[in-house]
Amino acid sequence: MATHSTSQTILIIDDNPTNIEVLYDALDRAGYKVLVEMDGLHGIETIKNYPPDLILLDVMMPEIDGFETCRQLKSQQTIGEIPIIFMTALNDTTDKVKGLALGAVDYITKPFQQEEVLARIGIHLKLRRANLELAQQKDILEHRVQERTAELSQALDNFKNAQLQLVQSEKMATLGNLVAGVAHEINNPLGFLKGSLNNAQEYIQDLFKYVQCVQQHYPQLTPAVTNLAEKIDLEFLSEDLPKLLGSMHVATERIMDISTSLRTFSRADTSEKVACDLHEGIESTLLILKYRLKPSQKRPAIEVITDYGKLPPVKCFLGQLNQVFMNILANAIDVLDTESVGRTFAQLQANSQQIIIRTEVSSDQNTVVIKIKDNGSGMPEDIKAHIFDHLFTTKDVGKGTGLGLAIARQIVEETHNGKLICNSILGEGTEFVIKIPVSL
């Protein structure tokens, strides 16, 4: 009889010594490694410790019978796939059906025909080997699918990041061009107005000198002249007009400051980071949003409280960080506007809506920390967990793109190697913490 080139293990579970001897001799001559147990409980323990390639299981045994032994083996994941062949009498059709229903792969009848036994065992060992190879191939394919899925997921993330960068660049370019254009249009007439005011002040001073000279040399003026002087209140005009021109000078200086802030906000970033004053960026952003902070018919003004520390110049792309300040502050204003709905003006005055901005340097002097906090109602955890997600927004359709905070985090963490953190507790408002290294 031909022997097997690979030593596969067969476990015989049978309480009949004669059956065991017959099967052991036949399997040993065929080149199999043979294990023997004489009851189901010991057989289960042996299988757990030394899993065989195939089990020959007798139906009638002490303590637990073959059916119960088979049921327990099939209920365990690690050993449940080992093929079981029942050994039963030739006319026990019921036992055969019951054994197959419990998960056995075949049966052999007593008295044993050695050629039949070896043939059936050989077939099921081949099927077992094929199933193991199939499972291995399945694992390999699943691993490849996981790798490919991970690659596709990474590609999708890269695409989203590229999309965010594109959107952010377009937004900054559009906003920068718009604001810079407005600032330029303001500067032209403003320069003319400032120069004209200087000239007008000189002209008016000359005219007043002339009037005073006339009054000194011609004290007795005609009634028409004195009546006109009384009508226009020449004395008051002489005192108030210089004050009016001074106020106009102050106004033009204020407009020039606004224009400078607009240019600061919209500044075009260079290819490399430049040392900048972050307070200038924050102030220029507040100036852009000032119209939204003013009181309206629905609510009082939103109070902005600034508590600035002494910050060193920070190497950064200030134009991009201004976009971060803009997104966070605009979101805070949106929240406070939304929460003012349904509340009376008096209620809002009693509990003023506030945005608090604090800046400081970390204890190691290496990081600038900017905290922007509103005193709104805060966010639940399920929303807080997703606020930085791509395309996530809590605003109504058409009022939010879900890109603002995702772009803000990308600017802070990827472009500036910093950290953007959101702290929010229901009933206590929301705080965004921006951490930027002083130099990179």
Side-chain angles (χ1 to χ4, degrees), residues 96-117:
K96 296 174 185 177
V97 173
K98 185 175 181 180
L100 293 173
L102 287 170
V105 297
D106 206 347
Y107 61 89
I108 55 177
T109 58
K110 305 173 184 178
F112 301 122
Q113 299 293 323
Q114 292 188 15
E115 293 296 331
E116 179 187 0
V117 171

Side-chain angles (χ1 to χ4, degrees), residues 6-252:
T6 57
S7 181
Q8 295 173 294
T9 302
I10 310 295
L11 172 63
I12 303 171
I13 306 177
D14 195 339
D15 64 335
N16 189 315
T18 302
N19 291 341
I20 292 173
E21 183 178 359
V22 171
L23 290 170
Y24 188 98
D25 290 343
L27 294 171
D28 185 60
R29 286 195 301 272
Y32 293 110
K33 181 180 178 181
V34 184
L35 302 175
V36 175
E37 290 293 347
M38 299 189 72
D39 63 78
L41 291 176
H42 287 90
I44 292 171
E45 290 301 315
T46 298
I47 293 167
K48 289 179 179 177
N49 296 321
Y50 307 100
D53 296 293
L54 185 139
I55 303 167
L56 294 177
L57 180 60
D58 189 27
V59 173
M60 302 302 297
M61 291 185 299
E63 296 191 41
I64 62 172
D65 61 15
F67 298 132
E68 177 60 20
T69 302
C70 180
R71 188 191 65 78
Q72 290 190 27
L73 290 173
K74 291 300 178 183
S75 67
Q76 301 184 45
Q77 185 175 1
T78 56
I79 57 178
E81 297 300 321
I82 299 174
I84 297 175
I85 298 178
F86 269 110
M87 298 181 290
T88 182
L90 180 63
N91 59 348
D92 287 342
T93 303
T94 302
D95 288 348
K96 296 174 185 177
V97 173
K98 185 175 181 180
L100 293 173
L102 287 170
V105 297
D106 206 347
Y107 61 89
I108 55 177
T109 58
K110 305 173 184 178
F112 301 122
Q113 299 293 323
Q114 292 188 15
E115 293 296 331
E116 179 187 0
V117 171
L118 294 174
R120 289 178 182 272
I121 289 174
I123 288 172
H124 289 293
L125 285 174
K126 289 180 181 178
L127 290 173
R128 168 71 168 163
R129 191 182 305 113
N131 286 334
L132 290 174
E133 291 176 354
L134 182 61
Q136 186 178 20
Q137 290 298 319
K138 178 184 176 184
D139 290 341
I140 293 173
L141 287 174
E142 287 180 349
H143 181 68
R144 289 178 179 174
V145 169
Q146 289 175 355
E147 287 182 339
R148 185 58 177 161
T149 301
E151 291 174 359
L152 291 173
S153 178
Q154 183 62 45
L156 180 60
D157 289 341
N158 292 340
F159 172 76
K160 288 180 178 179
N161 288 335
Q163 186 182 42
L164 283 175
Q165 291 175 354
L166 180 61
V167 171
Q168 188 266 335
S169 298
E170 289 298 322
K171 287 179 70 175
M172 284 302 298
T174 301
L175 183 60
N177 289 336
L178 175 63
V179 175
V182 170
H184 178 72
E185 290 300 319
I186 291 174
N187 282 341
N188 285 337
L190 185 61
F192 171 78
L193 179 60
K194 186 175 182 181
S196 298
L197 277 175
N198 291 332
N199 292 335
Q201 196 166 23
E202 293 178 3
Y203 298 159
I204 290 171
Q205 289 174 351
D206 290 341
L207 287 174
F208 282 154
K209 290 178 181 178
Y210 176 78
V211 171
Q212 291 173 356
C213 182
V214 170
Q215 289 175 335
Q216 289 174 0
H217 291 85
Y218 298 95
Q220 298 299 322
L221 297 174
T222 63
V225 174
T226 55
N227 290 338
L228 179 60
E230 291 178 2
K231 183 178 180 180
I232 65 174
D233 198 349
L234 181 60
E235 184 178 352
F236 171 78
L237 189 149
S238 301
E239 294 178 358
D240 191 60
L241 187 55
K243 297 178 183 178
L244 180 61
L245 290 173
S247 298
M248 294 172 70
H249 270 294
V250 172
T252 55

Side-chain angles (χ1 to χ4, degrees), residues 236-305:
F236 171 78
L237 189 149
S238 301
E239 294 178 358
D240 191 60
L241 187 55
K243 297 178 183 178
L244 180 61
L245 290 173
S247 298
M248 294 172 70
H249 270 294
V250 172
T252 55
E253 292 294 336
R254 176 60 179 154
I255 296 173
M256 291 184 71
D257 290 341
I258 293 172
S259 178
T260 301
S261 295
L262 291 174
R263 290 198 301 273
T264 299
F265 179 84
S266 65
R267 64 182 296 173
D269 288 322
T270 60
S271 59
E272 296 182 357
K273 296 180 177 70
V274 177
C276 299
D277 182 354
L278 294 187
H279 289 155
E280 286 187 0
I282 296 172
E283 287 298 320
S284 66
T285 306
L286 288 172
L287 180 66
I288 300 294
L289 293 171
K290 189 173 183 179
Y291 76 99
R292 295 196 59 195
L293 299 167
K294 291 180 177 180
S296 65
Q297 293 180 345
K298 298 180 180 179
R299 61 157 176 80
I302 296 173
E303 183 182 6
V304 176
I305 301 172

Side-chain angles (χ1 to χ4, degrees), residues 359-374:
T359 62
E360 61 188 17
V361 182
S362 62
S363 57
D364 59 8
Q365 302 295 309
N366 292 327
T367 304
V368 165
V369 181
I370 302 160
K371 299 178 181 179
I372 301 175
K373 185 180 188 303
D374 65 63

Side-chain angles (χ1 to χ4, degrees), residues 300-303 336 343 347-354 375:
I302 296 173
E303 183 182 6
L336 297 176
R343 300 169 64 186
Q347 288 174 328
L348 293 170
Q349 279 184 320
N351 298 281
S352 63
Q353 296 177 308
Q354 295 178 343
N375 65 340

